[in-house]
Amino acid sequence: MAAEGPTPEQQAEYLVRKLEQTIRENRTVSGMSFRTWQAIAREEILNAILAVEKRHRNHERSINRLVLTTAAALVTIGFWGAMVAIDRAYGGVAAIVTLVAGAALLFVAADWGLGRWGAAHASRKRGERLAGIEDLDRRIKRMEEEMRRKAERTKERIDSIVP
């Protein structure tokens, strides 16, 4: 379950950054109204909760499929085992059915394992993208500060040149 998505800390940091970006983009002379900010925050939090619930539903669905397939395979094996015990004439048919049931169980288990591996891989990629976004955000803030300082220095130079 650890590889299902970003950690709660990463998700919270992402939401805060997204809200900050939205507030900055919608800033007017008087600022953003509290109701607008509240609606945006509510929507972002709702989206985050829905994403977690969707991942949980998908995980539960995979587990349920695995359990159902295992139960079906065991019932099939048991039925044909009983048939073999009753009459040895059906031994070849029982072997084939048991082989098919075992193969079905193997394919479902492999699909489940590959799905978990894919989810872990996607989670790592999301973490890497989030780290890249945070790095870019830091660089942009640093550049903004440098530009502000340059503007101040240029203004001071112009003021010193122009009497």
Side-chain angles (χ1 to χ4, degrees):
M1 291 263 268
E4 289 186 9
T7 65
E9 292 84 5
Q10 289 174 329
Q11 189 72 22
E13 183 66 28
Y14 173 76
L15 286 174
V16 168
R17 288 187 186 282
K18 185 143 180 149
L19 287 172
E20 177 185 0
Q21 177 186 9
T22 303
I23 290 169
R24 287 181 193 269
E25 289 174 356
N26 294 321
R27 188 182 292 173
T28 60
V29 174
S30 62
M32 179 184 282
S33 74
F34 180 73
R35 288 187 191 270
T36 303
W37 180 87
Q38 199 175 30
I40 292 169
R42 184 177 295 120
E43 183 180 337
E44 290 301 324
I45 292 169
L46 175 66
N47 289 339
I49 291 171
L50 290 174
V52 169
E53 287 178 351
K54 182 178 179 183
R55 284 194 305 267
H56 181 70
R57 276 193 311 272
N58 288 343
H59 178 73
E60 287 294 320
R61 188 177 303 134
S62 295
I63 295 294
N64 289 340
R65 286 177 182 163
L66 179 65
V67 168
L68 178 64
T69 304
T70 302
L74 290 175
V75 167
T76 302
I77 291 167
F79 171 78
W80 285 107
M83 290 300 289
V84 169
I86 293 173
D87 187 1
R88 297 295 255 165
Y90 295 112
V93 173
I96 292 172
V97 170
T98 303
L99 178 67
V100 169
L105 179 60
L106 176 68
F107 288 132
V108 169
D111 179 55
W112 182 58
L114 290 174
R116 287 178 54 94
W117 177 82
H121 180 68
S123 175
R124 281 192 303 276
K125 287 295 185 187
R126 280 192 301 271
E128 290 171 5
R129 284 192 301 268
L130 183 60
I133 290 169
E134 290 172 350
D135 182 51
L136 179 63
D137 190 41
R138 280 191 296 275
R139 286 189 284 158
I140 289 173
K141 286 180 181 178
R142 223 177 309 132
M143 288 171 55
E144 286 175 345
E145 183 62 27
E146 289 175 17
M147 293 298 289
R148 187 186 61 75
R149 282 190 217 134
K150 281 184 180 180
E152 287 175 3
R153 284 193 304 259
T154 305
K155 186 173 187 256
E156 288 173 3
R157 286 182 187 162
I158 290 174
D159 288 344
S160 68
I161 295 173
V162 176

